[in-house]
Amino acid sequence: MPATAAFEGQPLPRHVAIIMDGNGRWAEQRGKFRVSGHKAGVKSVRAAVSFGYRLGLDALTLFAFSSENWRRPEDEVSALMSLFIAVLGSEVRKLHRNNIRLRIIGDRSAFAPHLQRKIDDAERLTASNTGFTLNIAANYGGRWDITQAARGLAEQVARGELAPAEITESLLNEHIQLADSTPVDLLIRTGGEQRISNFLLWQLAYAEFYFTPVLWPDFGEDAFSDAIAAFVGRERRFGCTGAQIREQLAQKTDA
Ligand code: IPE
Ligand code: IPE
Ligand code: MG
């Protein structure tokens, strides 16, 4: 059964972002090292990509490593980097075969040169794929994102190409990561915490938030479906009143 059949006729999200949290606790609960939780989490990444694809999403954006995660013990950081390299090596061809475009968002300049090369190669290989876009946020921080966008505009001003008065929301937006993608409709955070930990600060302006206690390695199709069902049941108002939204929906259904 296609993943969409269960939500027939409902407005589904087009872009879902996920804070994949709870790997460490998942491992600790089993008396294992934290890194085995990260390894187990890769399986959930595969399942989420497959589900997102079948759901017909335009984009799925996964938070894999935050700009603050460098603060973790050195051995955990290096295990995460090795895992990232291994997963890129083993999964990219599969993504490509499935017509999926892969993009890495975040400050990649902090990564080892060979990892940067792997990232560039993966992006180049999959650049013209049209199935859907998988964005992986690595060394990503929402504040970094807004800062690099502001710097981009400041450089244009310094070169005399732009006047400060010409800076608008939409111009700044063009410099923010994911500018060319559909707005994020739904943010899911696994692992029970109810915060965004410096994820997509700008892009989540009108996203629906869904928090679940399920730990990331346990987050499979059922848990993802629950999140989609919660989204489908919500009324998004974008600053309007509920009555205005219902009127617009009724007009759409009549048409
Ligand atoms: C999320 O799981 C993965 C990364 C941040 C890389 P955690 O490692 O944060 O797991 P918990 O929150 O400690 O359980
Ligand atoms: C957020 O999780 C980052 C990722 C999932 C990659 P953290 O576990 O690092 O967030 P905090 O520290 O609980 O806020
Ligand atoms: Mg965590």
Side-chain angles (χ1 to χ4, degrees):
M1 177 172 88
T4 44
F7 306 105
E8 207 72 75
Q10 307 285 353
L12 291 175
R14 294 170 64 197
H15 185 168
V16 176
I18 309 182
I19 301 177
M20 309 183 289
D21 196 19
N23 294 348
R25 277 163 289 164
W26 183 91
E28 282 156 13
Q29 282 171 7
R30 287 160 177 75
K32 295 183 179 171
F33 291 115
R34 294 176 56 84
V35 63
S36 73
H38 298 313
K39 284 185 181 152
V42 175
K43 181 179 58 45
S44 299
V45 171
R46 283 194 203 102
V49 171
S50 155
F51 188 69
Y53 185 79
R54 281 175 289 133
L55 206 55
L57 295 182
D58 289 346
L60 177 67
T61 300
L62 304 176
F63 202 9
F65 190 86
S66 77
S67 46
E68 288 72 32
N69 287 145
W70 298 105
R71 296 176 186 156
R72 295 194 176 197
E74 218 176 292
D75 58 344
E76 184 170 342
V77 170
S78 82
L80 281 166
M81 291 299 142
S82 308
L83 192 60
F84 191 23
I85 293 170
V87 170
L88 271 180
S90 66
E91 304 296 313
V92 169
R93 275 184 301 275
K94 210 160 42 182
L95 295 175
H96 187 47
R97 271 202 306 278
N98 285 298
N99 193 25
I100 296 171
R101 177 163 71 135
L102 177 70
R103 277 203 312 199
I104 309 298
I105 60 165
D107 181 5
R108 62 182 71 178
S109 68
F111 293 136
H114 68 290
L115 177 52
Q116 291 190 40
R117 262 197 312 278
K118 270 191 178 297
I119 291 173
D120 293 344
D121 290 348
E123 287 185 332
R124 209 170 306 117
L125 176 71
T126 63
S128 48
N129 290 345
T130 52
F132 92 132
T133 303
L134 172 63
N135 302 300
I136 302 288
N139 192 23
Y140 178 86
R143 288 177 176 169
W144 163 82
D145 196 351
I146 295 168
T147 306
Q148 63 83 28
R151 192 181 303 120
L153 291 182
E155 282 163 0
Q156 289 182 19
V157 171
R159 288 196 297 268
E161 297 163 7
L162 183 70
E166 289 168 335
I167 297 176
T168 57
E169 262 182 41
S170 72
L171 198 60
L172 183 63
N173 187 58
E174 283 174 22
H175 290 255
I176 299 266
Q177 307 277 296
L178 308 179
D180 57 350
S181 89
T182 323
V184 180
D185 297 306
L186 171 65
L187 170 79
I188 300 170
R189 182 173 186 143
T190 64
E193 311 299 348
Q194 302 193 6
R195 53 177 174 256
I196 52 175
S197 300
N198 199 17
F199 195 28
L200 307 165
L201 300 179
W202 174 278
Q203 298 87 336
L204 295 178
Y206 267 104
E208 294 294 324
F209 284 36
Y210 178 85
F211 299 102
T212 169
V214 174
L215 303 173
W216 178 250
D218 293 327
F219 188 85
E221 244 176 58
D222 289 350
F224 204 160
S225 300
D226 288 346
I228 301 294
F231 173 89
V232 165
R234 293 190 193 174
E235 182 179 75
R236 302 180 82 194
R237 290 196 280 272
F238 300 101
C240 301
T241 65
Q244 287 174 304
I245 296 296
R246 285 187 289 275
E247 200 174 300
Q248 278 178 27
L249 281 175
Q251 277 166 7
K252 256 197 206 155
T253 335
D254 293 347

